[in-house]
Amino acid sequence: MDHIRRTERLAAMTRVLVSEPGRSFSLAQFCEAYGAAKSTISEDLDIIRGAMDRFGLGRLETLTGVGGGVRYRVAVDHAEGYRHVRALCERLSGPGRVLPGGLLYLADVIADPEIIGRMGAILASEFVDAAPDFVLTMETQGIPLAMMAAHSLHVPVVIARRSGKAYEGPAVHISYLAGSQFKTMSLSRRLVRPGQRALLVDDVLRSGGTATGMMDLMREFSAEVVGAAMLVGTEEACGRFSHVKALMVLEGVDPSNGAASLRPGDWLLVPE
């Protein structure tokens, strides 16, 4: 292998670490990949760690044990998260955003990888220490946000269905109340094991029925719910379900021009 300069090695190692948040890398892997001694790789990692700490780019964790190692963790502090969410609130507060029936149009935001990726990283930063084994969401609008949060946490996504799918095998079915209607939620028995830890993520918290249904579903699997988060929640629902963290709170709607009033969730506020 040709000689690799330190600047090249630092760039390559940073790219590897950041592209797979939560994945553990041994020092031996880097030594073999870049033809350097462990002491040199350790020095490189210290440089990367220092730069990440200085510029708020996440955190690099040292792992103990045979051979040692490191992993990159997404870390968005509340102040930065608040700024990003506030900017999104301003974008969603324009005229014509509210659909007939009072529904907030979110399809363009949910389909934007940059926006939804940033929102997923903010949620992952909040729940990384809860160490979930998977992210649970309900089809279909919640899937993109759940996928992005799961990527940052280095865990799989589990998708609850409105009806069982033959190709997923035997499933657990429950009924839950969403608004004034009873609906069905289904999840394959193969996807969750007793004792696992679940983070619930969905797009909208309105009546709280879907969130409650997902919690009930996890009880059927004897799984522990370590947190719940939504992209948007109504003011009323956020008040009733204070344990669910909504990135944005829908304060009200102006029917004259179809404009919504949104603000960042209170949990993102930085104490004075």
Side-chain angles (χ1 to χ4, degrees):
M1 178 184 293
D2 295 335
H3 175 70
I4 300 176
R5 292 176 297 177
R6 167 161 278 181
T7 51
E8 295 174 320
R9 196 168 57 244
L10 289 172
M13 291 171 61
T14 302
R15 175 68 176 84
V16 168
L17 289 163
V18 172
S19 65
E20 298 191 64
R23 178 184 171 186
S24 302
F25 293 88
S26 68
L27 296 186
Q29 286 177 278
F30 288 128
C31 291
E32 182 179 352
Y34 305 114
K38 282 189 177 181
S39 58
T40 301
I41 294 297
S42 294
E43 292 173 2
D44 291 345
L45 292 170
D46 285 339
I47 294 173
I48 295 171
R49 181 182 293 106
M52 288 183 173
D53 291 343
R54 180 177 181 182
F55 297 105
L57 301 176
R59 69 177 191 255
L60 204 59
E61 297 179 343
T62 300
L63 306 174
T64 58
V66 179
V70 293
R71 66 183 173 193
Y72 168 74
R73 288 293 198 184
V74 172
V76 181
D77 64 36
H78 281 189
E80 182 182 356
Y82 183 87
R83 287 194 298 272
H84 288 307
V85 175
R86 184 176 60 185
L88 183 56
C89 288
E90 292 173 356
R91 170 175 172 174
L92 295 176
S93 295
R97 178 60 67 169
V98 178
L99 301 171
L103 300 176
L104 185 65
Y105 179 70
L106 295 170
D108 58 334
V109 169
I110 290 173
D112 189 319
E114 181 179 356
I115 293 176
I116 210 69
R118 187 177 293 123
M119 296 301 110
I122 293 170
L123 291 183
S125 300
E126 184 68 14
F127 293 103
V128 64
D129 292 332
D133 295 304
F134 61 91
V135 173
L136 175 69
T137 191
M138 183 71 186
E139 63 175 2
T140 57
Q141 288 280 81
I143 294 176
L145 180 60
M147 288 290 291
M148 292 301 186
H151 171 70
S152 293
L153 291 166
H154 195 59
V155 298
V157 173
V158 174
I159 302 171
R161 307 285 186 182
R162 290 183 174 82
S163 61
K165 304 295 182 182
Y167 53 78
E168 291 186 339
V172 172
H173 307 271
I174 67 166
S175 295
Y176 66 100
L177 184 63
S180 59
Q181 294 182 320
F182 276 100
K183 297 185 178 181
T184 301
M185 188 179 295
S186 175
L187 186 63
S188 171
R189 292 184 179 275
R190 296 171 180 259
L191 292 176
V192 178
R193 299 189 304 274
Q196 284 192 302
R197 299 162 63 83
L199 171 62
L200 313 186
V201 174
D202 206 0
D203 60 333
V204 177
L205 178 69
R206 190 174 297 107
S207 67
T210 302
T212 301
M214 288 195 289
M215 292 177 187
D216 291 341
L217 187 61
M218 289 298 92
R219 277 193 285 271
E220 292 295 321
F221 281 86
S222 298
E224 179 185 358
V225 175
V226 298
M230 303 286 161
L231 181 62
V232 181
T234 64
E235 187 86 68
E236 180 186 0
C238 289
R240 287 191 293 116
F241 297 89
S242 57
H243 60 286
V244 180
K245 296 187 176 181
L247 285 164
M248 297 178 286
V249 178
L250 178 62
E251 297 180 305
V253 172
D254 184 350
S256 64
N257 61 2
S261 175
L262 296 106
R263 60 174 171 80
D266 293 341
W267 60 275
L268 286 165
L269 293 172
V270 179
E272 295 289 341

